[in-house]
Amino acid sequence: MASKFGGKMPMNNRLFIPIVCLLAMIFAVAHAQVPSTSRAGNEALGLGILVGKWVRLEGGYVINIHAVQSDGKLDAAYANPKPLPFSMAEATREGDALKLFFELRAGGYGGSTYTLNYDASSDTLRGIYNQVVVKQKFDVVFARVK
């Protein structure tokens, strides 16, 4: 269909389509899901559920998880009964599973570790305590303090 301008589109019509495409791309980028470093980012991964005070059923040892960083690092401390820092504390998501790893080097623990899984049905942390000083592994359960 010929236009009244001799078959050529007027300048404002030639720019319309590229401008609409550019605006659509800008809109898409502005509304894209970007990983967050906030607590909301952790909630999206389901890691925020881990924040709280957890008591080991056998022995009364305590893990306090104060916060979860977007990279899975935990702001956490251990108490037996005195507070001790973790040399490493992190959480990961593997499919539906939330996995936690803690390492203790202070207070004669010599690199002992907890490898735990979050059990949503019982709101517990369950797994293995590897006491490297005495070279023994123990099945452990931590319950959330309400």
Side-chain angles (χ1 to χ4, degrees):
M1 195 158 100
S3 77
K4 64 181 181 180
F5 298 100
K8 293 184 179 179
M9 292 178 69
M11 179 62 98
N12 60 350
N13 285 346
R14 277 189 267 157
L15 293 176
F16 179 76
I17 292 174
I19 289 173
V20 168
C21 290
L22 178 63
L23 290 173
M25 288 189 312
I26 291 170
F27 180 81
V29 169
H31 289 86
Q33 293 292 331
V34 178
S36 173
T37 58
S38 69
R39 181 181 167 117
N42 294 324
E43 294 298 332
L45 294 174
L47 299 177
I49 191 73
L50 302 172
V51 174
K53 183 176 182 179
W54 303 86
V55 176
R56 188 169 145 188
L57 299 181
E58 337 54 37
Y61 309 105
V62 176
I63 294 175
N64 277 305
I65 301 174
H66 305 288
V68 183
Q69 305 301 317
S70 62
D71 61 358
K73 300 285 187 235
L74 302 174
D75 175 8
Y78 188 66
N80 174 19
K82 294 180 182 179
L84 296 168
F86 285 113
S87 61
M88 180 185 294
E90 61 188 15
T92 57
R93 177 175 277 291
E94 294 178 20
D96 289 338
L98 290 179
K99 299 180 176 278
L100 298 92
F101 179 80
F102 301 95
E103 182 179 36
L104 289 159
R105 294 205 172 270
Y109 282 88
S112 296
T113 61
Y114 281 103
T115 305
L116 307 170
N117 294 303
Y118 174 68
D119 181 353
S121 64
S122 62
D123 196 28
T124 56
L125 303 176
R126 298 173 176 271
I128 304 293
Y129 173 52
N130 182 12
Q131 213 314 339
V132 298
V133 175
V134 296
K135 299 179 181 163
Q136 286 185 303
K137 293 183 180 183
F138 304 91
D139 291 326
V140 294
V141 176
F142 286 83
R144 185 189 305 269
V145 175
K146 307 274 182 193

